[in-house]
Amino acid sequence: MAEEETGAGAVAALAEANAPVFETLVQMTLDTFERSGLDEETYLLARIAALVAMDASAPSYLLNIGTAAELGVPLEKIQGTLVAIAPVVGSARVVSAARNIGDAFGLELRGEDQQ
């Protein structure tokens, strides 16, 4: 899979791979959006919130935030989702998510020593 593939393109690439783990993951997510009854933006924000709660790895954020960006979900809504869930999941999970999101997109996050 090419490094620049995100969102639906990345899922399609995984589905075409000869890898049973990835094939299983793709099968698990097929039709989930339709069955959720949510609009695309709400669906993706809920998935991003779940990733934070699970302390997901960078590639998971790349796929889901990449898809959200492709669909035009504003960055402010993603940030707002992180703010909304912080009291529930805790600051450590949100900070970990911010780091993993930065890693996923090759962003250098400013630390306290760089302010």
Side-chain angles (χ1 to χ4, degrees):
M1 176 171 45
E3 285 183 30
E4 53 199 311
E5 283 188 291
T6 60
V11 172
L14 289 176
E16 294 171 8
N18 186 14
V21 173
F22 290 133
E23 290 170 14
T24 300
L25 292 173
V26 169
Q27 289 299 316
M28 287 171 41
T29 60
L30 288 178
D31 303 322
T32 305
F33 167 67
E34 291 80 9
R35 290 180 294 175
S36 75
L38 300 171
D39 62 87
E40 290 176 328
E41 183 175 285
T42 303
Y43 175 77
L44 287 164
L45 292 174
R47 287 178 62 96
I48 292 164
L51 292 174
V52 175
M54 297 301 299
D55 199 21
S57 64
S60 296
Y61 289 107
L62 184 62
L63 177 65
N64 287 276
I65 293 176
T67 301
E70 288 175 7
L71 293 173
V73 176
L75 178 60
E76 293 78 17
K77 292 252 182 148
I78 295 170
Q79 291 171 332
T81 299
L82 297 178
V83 169
I85 66 170
V88 177
V89 300
S91 61
R93 290 289 169 126
V94 174
V95 170
S96 178
R99 173 69 57 201
N100 287 332
I101 292 167
D103 289 348
F105 291 93
L107 304 174
E108 219 174 286
L109 301 178
R110 289 180 6 152
E112 290 180 10
D113 58 326
Q114 296 175 320
Q115 292 185 28

